[in-house]
């Protein structure tokens, strides 16, 4: 087998979703999470529920005045950076979602054998930042037509996804994609391949916080890697 053939074979493995029964086993213990976001100086996880746990989604409770959505658009370092800068965003965190391996490591996710995609949890005040604006920003901040990649980053862990925490977020994401796709097609792009689902129905339904080194990575490493293959196309007025 030639080097080219081996590269193609490796790429095919990385872009095929692993079946649940074949996913890496992971572990029961969650990654340690520091007390606050380095940029917002607010918690990255909500408060525990009455049982002391953080709910089925793993993110805790944020109270009646805040909402949350999980967004995946390639390398999670840059996606988180885009959203922590937005007015009305209360806090952000990076992690893994949409797959089956409990409490995966970054290295495990990079094997494409967990089913997870690199994701950013965005918690926001809807009185100051609308979900509509945040989802539009998400679609224009990367190329949502590239399926299992963003630019040179190839693999299921780089797939585009919107995982809503309620039905409203899922409906709005679907409607936003349908509104944006004609603009993309008119410019020569293919169909939007973004995975849109309630978080509860995406993989095992859990957002797993990534290791501390990845949290607000581009704040501590401002010259670090960014890979967002934006189409440069805006939504029609």
């Amino acid at each position: 087998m030639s080097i080219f053939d081996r590269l193609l074979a490796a790429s095919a493995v990385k872009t095929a979703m692993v079946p649940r029964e074949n996913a890496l086993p992971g572990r029961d213990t969650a990654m340690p999470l520091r007390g606050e976001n380095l940029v917002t100086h607010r918690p990255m996880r909500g408060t525990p529920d009455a049982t002391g746990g953080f709910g089925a989604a793993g993110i805790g409770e944020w109270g009646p005045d805040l909402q949350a959505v999980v967004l995946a658009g390639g390398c999670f370092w840059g996606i988180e950076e885009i959203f922590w800068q937005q007015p009305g965003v209360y806090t952000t965190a990076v992690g893994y979602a949409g797959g089956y391996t409990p409490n995966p490591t970054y290295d495990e996710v990079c094997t494409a054998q967990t089913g997870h995609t690199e994701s950013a949890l965005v918690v926001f005040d809807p009185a100051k930042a609308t979900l509509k604006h945040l989802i539009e920003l998400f679609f224009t901040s990367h190329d949502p037509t590239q399926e299992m990649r963003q630019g040179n980053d190839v693999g299921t862990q780089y797939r585009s996804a919107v995982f809503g925490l309620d039905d409203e977020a899922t409906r709005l994401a679907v409607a936003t994609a349908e509104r944006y796709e004609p603009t993309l097609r008119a410019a020569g792009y293919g169909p939007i391949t973004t995975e849109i689902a309630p978080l509860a129905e995406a993989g095992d339904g859990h957002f797993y916080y990534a290791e501390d080194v990845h949290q607000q990575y581009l704040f501590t490493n401002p010259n670090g890697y960014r890979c967002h293959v934006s189409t440069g196309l805006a939504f029609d007025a």
Side-chain angles (χ1 to χ4, degrees):
M1 181 183 286
S2 70
I3 292 175
F4 181 69
D5 288 336
R6 288 198 295 271
L7 288 172
L8 284 177
S11 176
V13 170
K14 292 273 287 182
T15 57
M17 281 295 292
V18 64
R20 181 189 292 266
E21 61 272 18
N22 294 340
L24 295 174
R27 56 203 47 79
D28 294 333
T29 304
M31 296 294 163
L33 185 69
R34 63 171 170 262
E36 67 174 28
N37 179 300
L38 295 176
V39 178
T40 67
H41 302 292
R42 293 168 177 147
M44 292 184 282
R45 179 183 276 138
T47 57
D49 58 25
T51 69
F54 292 98
I59 64 171
E61 298 181 352
W62 293 99
D65 297 326
L66 297 173
Q67 295 180 14
V69 65
V70 174
L71 304 172
C75 178
F76 53 11
W77 298 340
I79 285 289
E80 185 188 23
E81 180 189 41
I82 289 167
F83 283 91
W84 80 47
Q85 298 179 67
Q86 296 305 304
V89 167
Y90 177 81
T91 196
T92 59
V94 295
Y96 315 111
Y100 309 111
T101 299
N103 301 299
T105 66
Y106 178 79
D107 287 344
E108 288 172 341
V109 171
C110 288
T111 68
Q113 298 303 298
T114 69
H116 291 297
T117 184
E118 295 187 17
S119 305
L121 171 68
V122 180
V123 181
F124 61 98
D125 180 347
K128 299 177 182 177
T130 67
L131 182 60
K132 175 178 179 291
H133 166 70
L134 295 177
I135 291 180
E136 287 181 352
L137 176 62
F138 164 76
F139 276 113
T140 57
S141 295
H142 73 300
D143 182 349
T145 71
Q146 290 199 354
E147 201 165 8
M148 300 297 183
R149 69 182 301 158
Q150 278 295 296
N152 293 326
D153 290 339
V154 178
T156 58
Q157 76 269 28
Y158 298 116
R159 72 187 186 274
S160 174
V162 178
F163 299 134
L165 275 295
D166 56 33
D167 291 340
E168 176 197 1
T170 305
R171 287 194 299 268
L172 183 57
V174 169
T176 305
E178 290 175 346
R179 187 159 53 88
Y180 192 41
E181 189 169 279
T183 299
L184 291 167
R185 285 188 175 275
Y189 289 88
I192 287 176
T193 58
T194 301
E195 179 182 352
I196 300 173
L199 179 60
E201 298 175 11
D204 65 4
H206 204 94
F207 176 85
Y208 295 101
Y209 287 87
E211 300 90 330
D212 270 350
V213 67
H214 297 294
Q215 304 296 341
Q216 299 84 61
Y217 181 85
L218 292 175
F219 177 75
T220 55
N221 299 273
N223 296 318
Y225 176 71
R226 294 168 175 83
C227 179
H228 300 289
V229 192
S230 171
T231 65
L233 298 171
F235 276 82
D236 291 336

